[in-house]
Amino acid sequence: MRPDSGLTGTMARELFDAQVTSRHLDLAARRLRADGAGYYTIGSAGHEGNAGVAAALRPTDPALLHYRSGAFYAARAAQLAEGKVDAIRDVLRGVVASAAEPIAGGRHKVFGSTDLNVIPTTSTIASHLPRAVGLAFAVERSRQGLDARGSSGRHAADSGQPVLVPPAWPRDAVVLCSFGDASVNHASAVAAFNTAGWSDFTGLRLPLLFVCEDNGLGISVRSPAGWVGETLRSRPGIRYFHADGCDLADTYAVARSAVSWVRRHRRPAVLHLRTVRLMGHAGADAELAYRTPAEIEHDLTLDPLLRTARLLVDAGQASPMELLSRYDEIGWRVQQTAAGVRDEPKLASAAEVVAPLAPRRPLRVAKTIARAAERAAGAALAERHRVFGGRLPEQTGPQTLAQAVNATLTDLMISHPQAMVFGEDVARKGGVYGVTKGLRDRFGPARVFDTLLDETSILGLGLGAGLGGLLPIPEIQYLAYLHNAEDQLRGEAASMRFFSQGAYRNPMVVRIAGLAYQKGFGGHFHNDHSVAVLRDIPGLVVAVPSRADDAAAMLRTCVAAAEVDGTVSVFLEPIALYHTRDLHTDGDGGWLSPYAAPDRWADTHVPVGRARSHSYGTGDRLTVLTFGNGVRMSLRVAARLAEEGHGCRVVDLRWLAPLPLADIVREAGATGRVLVVDETRRSGGVGEGVLAALVDAGYVGLARRVAAVDTFLPLGPAADHVLVGEDAIERAARALLSA
């Protein structure tokens, strides 16, 4: 073997086996697809040099893998005790969508295994890179000794109680994240590189190794010559390494240097592997439509398997016939395994498909809150007095919504040492609206900190931190700013449990200031009221408190659900109600609420998916279903109608996902007249879901809806023309009452 590479003959033979295994898995996937028994043919042929990267790492180093990392997966499986992980069977079960596949259970073909510390990713466009930055942050934070008890990214099998464990990775672990060359152009990859470099410039250590597997093609689109290397080499704060990914010895030598550098310095690096893509992008790809025969033939001469075979023969480690025999032996095993798994049972019902998506265990959530209350009133009472400066919030009188959120965050940070609050302007400034004011002083910059201005990176940091055993509570400054980062919630956060059957999870509560009705500071970006994309994400909880007492209780619920079930929640706070004090008349204090002392947390607990009803008069003539700013407006209208003898009930939905279906149906049936007051847009708004729920439940009474106009919001008073107002609510209510 090459003496300068560090690659021994024994290692080379083992890695050759991993490369051959990966190639035969690609061939088997195509045969299964041709027979109508397989459903995934994106292969790793030409990228098998990544087996050398696996050899340079430890099996305890967490890895988020590119979808062409078959040889890496096979090599890592071989590092464990024989038979502990059967890489061939695992991968083929994914190809045929077998319900027995151990990580995703037939929901998708992914590389993932808790035994191998391979975290499943389904992305083909690098959306897992921001998460990798967050995971490196969590690994280093744990190394530095921050208490990581509680909500863990990994947990044991369900035994009747949530079993929460510290991160399983060693103190000197390195996070590995691989991706394709075309992905360097994607916004999420750029965000991850930028955040890793930015963090390095600030002195924040991130033990992260990016690996770019560069075959020069993004499906059929060529990467310009030299572009990928120049792009990666020029990233500030990220050390650059380059290797010939078709040469196993070179790959291993450079990967070993890169891993050693990252492990020693705890700083980010990128390993640029030059590879080739053999057999096209996937089984249905006709390469001759965009590549010349000469180009294809040239890449065949660089086949990593042939080059590793030549390496072994030239070093006297094996004869050509021995290697051919080994190739056939592994191929026979792959074929036999493929025959054995092709007819395994598939997911047989909708219930089986969605089972790991978003478990809801409300009793455990309630018990978790009750235990936190006991600690706050007992062992943690002195700590509460110290943190609150001797003035406990329950003793300071009624609070606004913003004050209640601040006090609740403080209590949650006391009870959850692994919790972190971060985002743009949340630390020194205390948030644009003062909601996080004082938290940094109370808990220090390690737990309350400002981030760079990039929502994708903020969410990615949260996803990785949750996976690594922390409890992230990131803030997105305005709802409009979420939309450029939505895929971090849709494609990464909400799907983690789904594609790992709960083996991995990323608990997180995302606080977002949003909705409309700000006076003197508005326009589209600061008054955005579009929540359709959030309600469309499977498993995501969307909470919208309108009052201070609900805000406190619902935030505690979201955090407890994250702790118990790994839930990802969006906590949408109506900006216009942050500092509102009055309800009906100036000075009445009707929109203020006392902060519940810990001994009342259990009694005031708000379960996910439960609404709140307010009655005026007899409450038997009209039901108003609403949320957010609509609650206050509807209550004011209901009070006026009640004075005329029209009893109304105003139902605050509180949860937009999942909707409180049982409460909606019950409250609607109580009056037979329903008015849906929806401050979001008419098309794609919340009202559509509420009315559909009533129809599905067989509601036969009267129903009307008032909603915002389908437009972006203008600046200034013009917004009043397109938003729902009290006049419109009252007109619709009177029309229903007279029907």
Side-chain angles (χ1 to χ4, degrees), residues 278-414:
L278 307 179
M279 298 165 55
H281 173 70
D285 183 27
E287 278 193 292
L288 287 173
Y290 55 90
R291 301 186 75 195
T292 67
E295 289 172 332
I296 297 173
E297 185 175 349
H298 173 266
D299 281 357
L300 287 171
T301 66
L302 301 175
D303 187 334
L305 267 66
L306 295 179
R307 294 184 68 179
T308 302
R310 181 177 296 279
L311 178 72
L312 289 166
V313 171
D314 290 348
Q317 294 294 321
S319 69
M321 290 306 299
E322 287 175 324
L323 296 179
L324 282 173
S325 176
R326 186 61 177 158
Y327 180 90
D328 289 340
E329 180 184 341
I330 292 173
W332 179 85
R333 183 187 167 199
V334 170
Q335 289 186 53
Q336 292 297 110
T337 306
V341 304
R342 60 174 292 159
D343 295 322
E344 285 186 346
K346 310 299 187 284
L347 294 168
S349 66
E352 287 187 22
V353 171
V354 303
L357 179 62
R360 298 276 181 264
R361 293 180 285 191
L363 290 180
R364 295 186 189 181
V365 169
K367 289 179 180 178
T368 297
I369 292 173
R371 287 195 295 270
E374 291 174 1
R375 291 194 299 270
L381 181 58
E383 178 70 0
R384 289 189 78 228
H385 274 282
R386 183 190 68 79
V387 171
F388 281 111
R391 299 182 73 246
L392 297 178
E394 59 266 32
Q395 299 170 351
T396 58
Q399 297 186 332
T400 63
L401 189 148
Q403 291 170 328
V405 172
N406 181 281
T408 307
L409 286 172
T410 301
D411 264 325
L412 289 168
M413 295 284 280
I414 293 171

Side-chain angles (χ1 to χ4, degrees), residues 197-466:
W198 184 90
S199 299
D200 192 69
F201 265 59
T202 67
L204 180 64
R205 295 297 179 236
L206 295 176
L208 172 61
L209 178 61
F210 293 113
V211 176
C212 178
E213 300 184 16
D214 178 8
N215 61 35
L217 290 162
I219 304 183
S220 67
V221 179
R222 303 170 192 267
S223 295
W227 169 250
V228 175
E230 188 64 26
T231 297
L232 297 175
R233 189 181 293 108
S234 63
R235 292 292 174 188
I238 301 178
R239 178 85 173 239
Y240 177 81
F241 295 84
H242 179 273
D244 180 355
C246 297
D247 182 330
L248 183 63
D250 188 53
T251 297
Y252 175 72
V254 178
R256 190 171 66 159
S257 295
V259 170
S260 176
W261 188 88
V262 173
R263 201 180 302 279
R264 182 171 66 254
H265 294 287
R266 318 304 291 169
R267 296 176 63 188
V270 59
L271 171 57
H272 181 193
L273 285 184
R274 190 65 179 92
T275 67
V276 293
R277 191 183 72 190
L278 307 179
M279 298 165 55
H281 173 70
D285 183 27
E287 278 193 292
L288 287 173
Y290 55 90
R291 301 186 75 195
T292 67
E295 289 172 332
I296 297 173
E297 185 175 349
H298 173 266
D299 281 357
L300 287 171
T301 66
L302 301 175
D303 187 334
L305 267 66
L306 295 179
R307 294 184 68 179
T308 302
R310 181 177 296 279
L311 178 72
L312 289 166
V313 171
D314 290 348
Q317 294 294 321
S319 69
M321 290 306 299
E322 287 175 324
L323 296 179
L324 282 173
S325 176
R326 186 61 177 158
Y327 180 90
D328 289 340
E329 180 184 341
I330 292 173
W332 179 85
R333 183 187 167 199
V334 170
Q335 289 186 53
Q336 292 297 110
T337 306
V341 304
R342 60 174 292 159
D343 295 322
E344 285 186 346
K346 310 299 187 284
L347 294 168
S349 66
E352 287 187 22
V353 171
V354 303
L357 179 62
R360 298 276 181 264
R361 293 180 285 191
L363 290 180
R364 295 186 189 181
V365 169
K367 289 179 180 178
T368 297
I369 292 173
R371 287 195 295 270
E374 291 174 1
R375 291 194 299 270
L381 181 58
E383 178 70 0
R384 289 189 78 228
H385 274 282
R386 183 190 68 79
V387 171
F388 281 111
R391 299 182 73 246
L392 297 178
E394 59 266 32
Q395 299 170 351
T396 58
Q399 297 186 332
T400 63
L401 189 148
Q403 291 170 328
V405 172
N406 181 281
T408 307
L409 286 172
T410 301
D411 264 325
L412 289 168
M413 295 284 280
I414 293 171
S415 60
H416 294 75
Q418 76 278 23
M420 303 185 305
V421 172
F422 55 90
E424 301 163 18
D425 302 306
V426 303
R428 291 184 182 275
K429 182 179 176 67
V432 173
Y433 298 95
V435 180
T436 56
K437 187 175 181 179
L439 292 183
R440 184 178 184 272
D441 293 337
R442 293 167 183 166
F443 299 103
R447 298 185 63 197
V448 182
F449 53 90
D450 293 323
T451 65
L452 75 177
L453 197 155
D454 178 56
E455 286 73 26
T456 295
S457 295
I458 292 171
L459 293 178
L461 176 62
L463 294 177

Side-chain angles (χ1 to χ4, degrees), residues 401 512-516 544-546 572-578 628-629 679:
L401 189 148
I512 305 177
L515 302 178
V544 183
S546 63
L572 183 56
E573 300 164 7
I575 297 171
L577 299 177
Y578 266 150
N629 293 286
E679 66 175 285

Side-chain angles (χ1 to χ4, degrees), residues 547 580-592 614-616 631-643 650 726:
R547 308 185 66 138
T580 298
R581 306 180 66 85
D582 303 324
L583 176 54
H584 298 295
T585 60
D586 291 345
D588 68 9
W591 209 247
L592 303 175
H614 306 264
S615 288
Y616 279 79
V631 176
R632 183 171 181 272
M633 292 187 290
S634 298
L635 289 174
R636 289 164 61 89
V637 170
R640 292 195 291 270
L641 294 174
E643 290 176 356
V650 176
E726 288 185 29

